[in-house]
Amino acid sequence: MTLLERQLHHLRTVGLQRIVVVCGFGVEKVRSVVDTMPFAGVELLYNPFYAMSDNLISLWVARSEMNEDLILLNGDNIFHPGTVQTLLQQRTPCSLLAARKARYTDDDMKLYLNGECVSHIGKTLSCQQADAESLGMLLFRDRGVTALRQALEQIVFHDSALNSHFPAVIQRMIDDGHPFTSCFAHPFACSDVDTPADLARVRSELDRYSIPTPVFDHVEGNT
């Protein structure tokens, strides 16, 4: 099972009915996976700028789909369905899934926290001062959805937008007064697959990212 197939199945397990996949490189391979899914409600959006941009532009491409509560996640995430359910339990307009580590690295998307609220997010933050790591899964509700769409429409005018990661727009929202609350994935597993070593690791511990049968009540109306 590919990462995409696993994501789609797990998102449906917790009751999400509509999923939009933003793709660029390898779009036909992505389409072939989506076409084989045994359920409807999965749409594709194409980012024609993928070869010259980072994932902030991919998120900007999806702004027209931001009309209701939504979860944003990276295509290289592998996660236990319980992580999504943990995030869905948050009722604030903007929330993100986080994890604490004994030691942080330069490649981690690090967080500074003020209580439960995120004050800073970014890879360039100090490893020694980091309070947690963002796991790349975020929830937007009500006015948080509107704030995200508006922030994307504004940040794209900056020269740096083309080569920025999407957390740049999250920091902009925080700076503009839109609080982000953090929630923690423990005891459920959530990781990303960046390297062959990461792939070997998650393949060796797939049981951490699966449930034998659905254990959550169906969640109506989540997108």
Side-chain angles (χ1 to χ4, degrees), residues 35-143:
D35 288 346
T36 62
M37 288 293 100
F39 46 77
V42 183
E43 305 168 33
L44 295 184
L45 276 182
Y46 181 64
N47 172 14
F49 313 110
Y50 76 89
M52 61 186 74
S53 65
D54 215 309
N55 60 19
L56 174 61
I57 299 302
S58 290
L59 187 57
W60 175 80
V61 166
R63 69 196 186 285
S64 62
E65 305 297 325
M66 299 174 184
N67 300 309
E68 54 188 329
D69 294 359
L70 63 92
I71 283 181
L72 166 65
L73 61 115
N74 288 322
D76 62 356
N77 282 137
I78 182 169
F79 51 85
H80 188 285
T83 61
V84 188
Q85 190 69 16
T86 298
L87 190 58
L88 285 171
Q89 291 169 355
Q90 306 304 304
R91 309 312 302 176
T92 54
C94 305
S95 310
L96 60 77
L97 201 66
R100 299 189 190 277
K101 299 171 64 174
R103 183 171 60 184
Y104 300 94
T105 68
D106 290 340
D107 196 51
D108 290 336
M109 188 60 67
K110 295 173 285 292
L111 303 171
Y112 292 168
L113 301 179
N114 182 7
E116 293 183 348
C117 289
V118 179
S119 63
H120 294 82
I121 179 172
K123 288 191 174 185
T124 61
L125 300 182
S126 166
C127 294
Q128 290 71 35
Q129 297 180 36
D131 297 303
E133 173 192 16
S134 172
L135 295 177
M137 191 181 299
L138 303 91
L139 172 67
F140 300 87
R141 293 189 183 278
D142 304 321
R143 66 179 183 274

